[in-house]
Amino acid sequence: MGKTTTTSRDWTQIYAIYGMDQWQTLVFLSLHAVLFSFMSVLFLVYFDPICALFEAFVSSPAGARFVAGFTGFVTAISAVCLFYAAGSFFYSAVPLHNEMAHRMVNAVGDWSTVRSALDLGCGRGILLNTVATQLKKTGSSGRVVGLAQGKSTALSTLRTAKIEGVQEYVTCREGDVRRLPFMDDYFDVVTSAVFVHTVGKEHGARTVEAAAERMRVVGELVRVLRPGGVGVVWDLVHVPEYVRRLQELGMEDVQVSERVTAFMVDSHIVKFRKPDQHVVGLEEVRLNCSRKS
């Protein structure tokens, strides 16, 4: 799905510009990792007194030592797992997100003919600004719209676009992802990064209601994409659902990337193309009109 673009920036530069969404989760994991590490050291240093404490609940000294040793072992393993989870979360949210944004941009191919693009759930703008940078590099007169879920997010996204020097290629607006505020067949390219899986979570991630909400978003992505246009979605866990829905909607060239571990779960990039002749209803067919140069 295209070659990966290598950039000269390291994660500290990316973090300095974009920060990190859901930083509270990272703090939570890190603090608990430190706490469990401290508890592990206590078990190691004060093992005999702890064994004596356990003897009040376990009749035999040998049994008390076993319980104390097992508890200390589990505490140490928990600390390691929490540190790993914190590291994985940080890597996925910053360096990996940047890398996957470049993969998604490369999956589209020719950006010089792109007049309008949409980034659904643009967040702080890592993917949005990568698209804008690509438009700028190719000399395109196109623009990319970032759809945000709040005014503060939209303002933050516009600030990062200015820092990246692509503000003239970026616009940002608020809207409901289940009912996108755009006309049919409007965008040449539609992208989204680790966002669609969050839709409908208020119903519970594994519920039928949440799945229906996600499928509604996929349908909206297809609706606003022009015939012949390309969609690229990177997301977690529910990618097989998206693939089935895209096939039901008649999308062509549906491609799924190799598995990439992100936020400690499987993730994939899905690329698809809206056919030039797109069947909308039982008897209605929408034809691709010739575009003006």
Side-chain angles (χ1 to χ4, degrees):
M1 296 183 67
K3 299 178 182 179
T4 303
T5 299
T6 303
T7 63
S8 59
R9 299 191 302 180
D10 59 24
W11 68 265
T12 57
Q13 294 171 307
I14 301 166
Y15 182 80
I17 296 173
Y18 296 100
M20 187 175 67
D21 291 321
Q22 301 178 4
W23 58 268
Q24 299 92 336
T25 302
L26 179 62
V27 172
F28 175 85
L29 291 171
S30 300
L31 288 178
H32 279 75
V34 172
L35 175 62
F36 274 79
S37 297
F38 179 70
M39 292 172 60
S40 300
V41 172
L42 288 180
F43 267 92
L44 184 63
V45 175
Y46 299 102
F47 184 73
D48 289 336
I50 291 174
C51 288
L53 179 64
F54 274 105
E55 287 181 10
F57 304 96
V58 181
S59 56
S60 67
R65 292 183 68 85
F66 172 79
V67 172
F70 181 76
T71 304
F73 173 76
V74 170
T75 303
I77 291 296
S78 299
V80 172
C81 292
L82 286 165
F83 273 120
Y84 175 78
S88 176
F89 187 89
F90 180 82
Y91 173 72
S92 300
V94 184
L96 180 62
H97 197 149
N98 181 66
E99 177 186 341
M100 297 301 281
H102 283 88
R103 289 191 189 184
M104 294 172 71
V105 165
N106 287 336
V108 173
D110 184 11
W111 284 91
S112 61
T113 60
V114 174
R115 294 181 298 178
S116 60
L118 170 67
D119 182 26
L120 187 67
C122 57
R124 302 193 182 192
I126 293 181
L127 175 57
L128 179 75
N129 292 334
T130 303
V131 170
T133 300
Q134 187 66 23
L135 291 171
K136 185 176 182 179
K137 284 181 179 178
T138 57
S140 171
S141 60
R143 298 293 182 270
V144 56
V145 179
L147 191 74
Q149 290 189 293
K151 185 176 181 180
S152 61
T153 301
L155 292 174
S156 175
T157 302
L158 292 175
R159 282 195 295 268
T160 60
K162 185 175 182 179
I163 294 172
E164 293 281 25
V166 293
Q167 65 270 26
E168 68 272 23
Y169 290 87
V170 172
T171 60
C172 196
R173 63 179 297 179
E174 300 174 67
D176 185 352
V177 295
R178 300 167 181 84
R179 292 177 292 276
L180 294 178
F182 306 106
M183 298 183 298
D184 295 357
D185 307 336
Y186 189 80
F187 294 101
D188 296 303
V189 174
V190 175
T191 64
S192 181
V194 286
F195 171 75
V196 179
H197 74 281
T198 66
V199 178
K201 274 193 171 181
E202 64 273 16
H203 302 294
R206 298 290 182 177
T207 63
V208 174
E209 292 81 3
E213 295 283 85
R214 292 191 295 270
M215 295 306 99
R216 187 172 293 114
V217 174
V218 173
E220 284 291 279
L221 288 177
V222 170
R223 179 183 67 79
V224 301
L225 187 62
R226 285 178 178 168
V230 176
V232 188
V233 177
W234 171 42
D235 208 16
L236 315 173
V237 182
H238 305 293
V239 169
E241 296 177 8
Y242 310 158
V243 172
R244 287 193 296 270
R245 183 58 179 155
L246 290 169
Q247 291 171 339
E248 291 171 358
L249 292 170
M251 296 301 100
E252 297 179 345
D253 303 327
V254 180
Q255 303 174 28
V256 182
S257 73
E258 72 282 1
R259 178 181 61 84
V260 176
T261 301
F263 302 99
M264 300 185 70
V265 296
D266 289 349
S267 76
H268 299 270
I269 295 175
V270 181
K271 175 188 173 184
F272 62 93
R273 187 180 70 84
K274 191 171 183 177
D276 292 330
Q277 180 173 293
H278 182 225
V279 178
V280 179
L282 293 176
E283 297 181 356
E284 180 185 1
V285 176
R286 182 173 297 146
L287 298 178
N288 184 20
C289 300
S290 59
R291 301 178 185 175
K292 297 179 181 180
S293 56

